[in-house]
Amino acid sequence: MCKMSQRFTFYFCLILFLQILNPFIVLIRANESNQDVKIEVTFLPENCSQKAKRGDMLNAHYDGYLTKDGSQFYCSRSTNTGHPHWFVLGVGEVIKGLDLGLDGMCPGEKRKVTIPPSLAYGETGKGPVPPNATVVFEVELLHITRGPRSIEAFKEIDADNDKALTKEEIKEYLKMEAKKLNTNKDESYFDDVVADVFHKNDHDADGTLSLKEYNVYGHDEL
């Protein structure tokens, strides 16, 4: 098969070769940029039935590095809060390269995503990231939930139907979702996720989330 001379067959054979070389490395091409996002799966959990898709809300830890010198420009675990980040996949809340690079990821999976400048911070750069920089994100996906936040999801979490979500209600909902997926998580995992949700959304600090607070999703740009 790989002796055929057609251009299509050549590219097919090249992709096949890369897959044989490393089955956990994938190249995704963005049509508008003509550049590649390189995805390397560094850890894949045994249960990978739930996969992230456009519109899902993801909760993840990530480290950002410059490929030029390997220096780290961001680490979610060492920020002021140390909480993982929530964001909606595929709608521009993170850089384009991550919207592409995290698609199909499952909870517990870890990826190394290499992103060219055109799909990262471009010709101007941002903060510690210089102009025209290729960057690498090491990402650990912790949780996937339905998104964007809908009235239907709110009602599902609101166990006592009082039109307000408590920390315990959200925590129990997350536990229920984890149980459906046969995923074992420590109690501290759920505490961290709930703490992050309330930190970003409980604007009146009353210890509950109203429907308005639940639906107003803060922009969490990487």
Side-chain angles (χ1 to χ4, degrees):
M1 178 178 64
C2 289
K3 292 181 179 180
M4 298 177 66
S5 60
Q6 290 90 338
R7 180 177 296 182
F8 173 80
T9 305
F10 169 77
Y11 285 120
F12 176 80
C13 292
L14 179 60
I15 292 171
L16 181 62
F17 171 76
L18 288 172
Q19 289 177 334
I20 293 172
L21 182 66
N22 189 339
F24 295 111
I25 294 180
V26 179
L27 294 178
I28 294 179
R29 173 151 290 177
N31 292 332
E32 66 274 22
S33 71
N34 201 34
Q35 292 196 47
D36 293 322
V37 172
K38 178 183 175 183
I39 300 169
E40 180 181 355
V41 178
T42 58
F43 177 77
L44 189 68
E46 184 175 345
N47 179 10
C48 194
S49 57
Q50 184 186 24
K51 295 181 182 293
K53 61 184 182 302
R54 187 179 187 277
D56 283 342
M57 288 179 59
L58 309 187
N59 188 238
H61 269 304
Y62 54 86
D63 299 328
Y65 301 88
L66 301 177
T67 58
K68 183 178 181 179
D69 58 10
S71 62
Q72 186 178 56
F73 62 84
Y74 190 80
C75 176
S76 61
R77 292 179 175 85
S78 63
T79 59
N80 291 335
T81 62
H83 294 306
H85 285 265
W86 282 101
F87 55 92
V88 179
L89 183 66
V91 298
E93 292 195 354
V94 294
I95 59 175
K96 180 67 174 179
L98 283 177
D99 270 340
L100 293 169
L102 304 187
D103 186 59
M105 199 172 181
C106 61
E109 184 178 341
K110 297 179 182 180
R111 289 185 179 184
K112 182 178 179 181
V113 184
T114 303
I115 306 171
S118 64
L119 301 176
Y121 302 100
E123 297 179 355
T124 59
K126 182 178 179 181
V129 180
N132 298 309
T134 297
V135 297
V136 174
F137 280 99
E138 294 181 355
V139 183
E140 179 183 6
L141 182 59
L142 303 176
H143 188 74
I144 302 171
T145 190
R146 182 172 46 187
R149 297 178 182 179
S150 64
I151 294 176
E152 290 76 16
F154 183 93
K155 290 179 178 178
E156 188 175 348
I157 301 171
D158 186 18
D160 58 8
N161 199 30
D162 66 349
K163 295 182 173 56
L165 303 183
T166 65
K167 292 181 179 180
E168 193 60 33
E169 284 176 326
I170 294 177
K171 186 176 179 178
E172 288 304 311
Y173 175 78
L174 294 175
K175 286 183 175 181
M176 179 182 68
E177 292 293 303
K179 186 176 181 180
K180 288 179 182 177
L181 297 169
N182 295 318
T183 302
N184 295 320
K185 294 291 185 181
D186 295 334
E187 194 76 11
S188 60
Y189 162 80
F190 297 105
D191 289 336
D192 287 344
V193 173
V194 171
D196 185 60
V197 170
F198 273 78
H199 171 73
K200 293 180 178 177
N201 296 279
D202 187 15
H203 304 301
D204 58 10
D206 67 349
T208 65
L209 296 184
S210 65
L211 179 57
K212 182 178 179 180
E213 288 174 321
Y214 181 77
N215 275 312
V216 178
Y217 190 82
H219 189 80
D220 200 9
E221 184 180 9
L222 297 184

